[in-house]
Amino acid sequence: LAFPSCHDGGTRYRLQARHWWHRRRQLPAQDAGCGAVPRDLDCSDRAVMQAPHDSLAAQEREREYSPSSCIGGNYAPYIEDYATLSAAALASGSRHTEHAYGSAAAHKLDLFLPEPRDSEALPPLLLFIHGGYWQELSKASSLFLAPDCTNAGIAFAAIDYTLAPQASVHDMVMECRQALRWLHQHGEELGFAPQRIVVSGSSAGAHLAAMCCLRGWKDDADLPAGAPAAAVLVSGIYDLQPLLGT
């Protein structure tokens, strides 16, 4: 499930982007009507097309791909709210643990588990990948979702990954896929159902979450079958080519 992106500009550009996306993926009609039809996507699924950004001048493209342009230019209050709410969630998280999913300094994740319920079934997990234009923010400002998840009987995890310029976007994708693979491998011992992991993210994090849903990476082993079980992509940037000139 992908929500429309503020980064796609005005309504006309969002409609064009949606039109081209459905043509590119050749999705059935019910998908174009926003129905949820599961489908595995392969990295080899490519098509050449003229995207809406091709007709934009450099200044217009800069604006359309700038998140702050949608909210008046100052996003600092929102980031401060994220940090404040995340600190409160961390302080109140009685079933919180931090883990390393790899060997790099940024390979860390926070895990929150719900209180045990009468059911013997392990809870699902919502894995959240933070945004920040691939170069800022961290899991420390992404924990605000944890209380609502655990109160609903859902485990929650937020991950860190190496940011630019220390890492390329490709490196970040590989790290996020590594985190998903690690969580799937250790799910049962950590206390959640590995076959019920939903990956999510916002902005640049939505792009990275989407990359965790693709199969057939030439330089990366495929993810376990059924991982992730679903994805929630919020305000993501999925076509990165226009960013080369911004």
Side-chain angles (χ1 to χ4, degrees):
L1 174 63
F3 292 102
S5 169
C6 67
H7 306 293
D8 286 330
T11 300
R12 177 169 66 89
Y13 293 117
R14 286 199 295 270
L15 291 175
Q16 288 182 21
R18 182 180 299 175
H19 167 73
W20 282 111
W21 172 257
H22 293 304
R23 282 193 59 185
R24 180 179 184 177
R25 295 299 178 184
Q26 298 180 334
L27 301 184
Q30 60 267 33
D31 273 6
C34 297
V37 178
R39 178 170 183 249
D40 286 337
L41 299 180
D42 191 282
C43 289
S44 62
D45 184 14
R46 305 292 187 192
V48 177
M49 62 182 182
Q50 181 181 7
H53 61 73
D54 291 343
S55 61
L56 296 178
Q59 186 175 2
E60 292 178 303
R61 188 169 70 248
E62 182 83 36
R63 182 186 67 249
E64 298 301 338
Y65 275 80
S66 171
S68 60
S69 69
C70 302
I71 56 173
N74 182 20
Y75 60 87
Y78 299 91
I79 302 301
E80 292 171 2
D81 284 345
Y82 292 164
T84 299
L85 293 172
S86 295
L90 188 61
S92 63
S94 58
R95 304 193 70 202
H96 162 260
T97 51
E98 185 179 43
H99 303 273
Y101 66 84
S103 58
H107 293 175
K108 298 290 192 299
L109 64 87
D110 283 296
L111 175 66
F112 295 78
L113 295 175
E115 292 298 327
R117 301 194 172 189
D118 294 337
S119 172
E120 294 182 0
L122 292 174
L125 172 73
L126 179 67
L127 167 60
F128 185 77
I129 303 175
H130 71 82
Y133 233 55
W134 302 277
Q135 56 189 342
E136 60 181 349
L137 303 183
S138 71
K139 65 180 177 63
S141 59
S142 304
L143 308 181
F144 55 89
L145 296 169
D148 285 340
C149 285
T150 55
N151 289 340
I154 301 168
F156 174 82
I159 68 171
D160 269 340
Y161 52 91
T162 308
L163 301 175
Q166 282 69 39
S168 67
V169 171
H170 179 269
D171 294 334
M172 298 175 206
V173 169
M174 294 298 104
E175 291 182 8
C176 291
R177 289 168 64 89
Q178 180 181 350
L180 175 57
R181 189 179 290 111
W182 187 91
L183 285 165
H184 185 275
Q185 179 182 354
H186 297 279
E188 291 188 359
E189 65 185 82
L190 292 174
F192 60 85
Q195 73 277 15
R196 301 175 68 194
I197 299 177
V198 175
V199 65
S200 63
S202 64
S203 192
H207 161 261
L208 295 172
M211 297 301 99
C212 289
C213 300
L214 296 179
R215 306 284 172 174
W217 287 89
K218 293 182 179 180
D219 56 349
D220 185 50
D222 266 340
L223 296 164
V232 179
L233 311 177
V234 182
S235 193
I237 308 173
Y238 309 108
D239 185 357
L240 305 190
Q241 183 176 358
L243 295 176
L244 296 177
T246 63

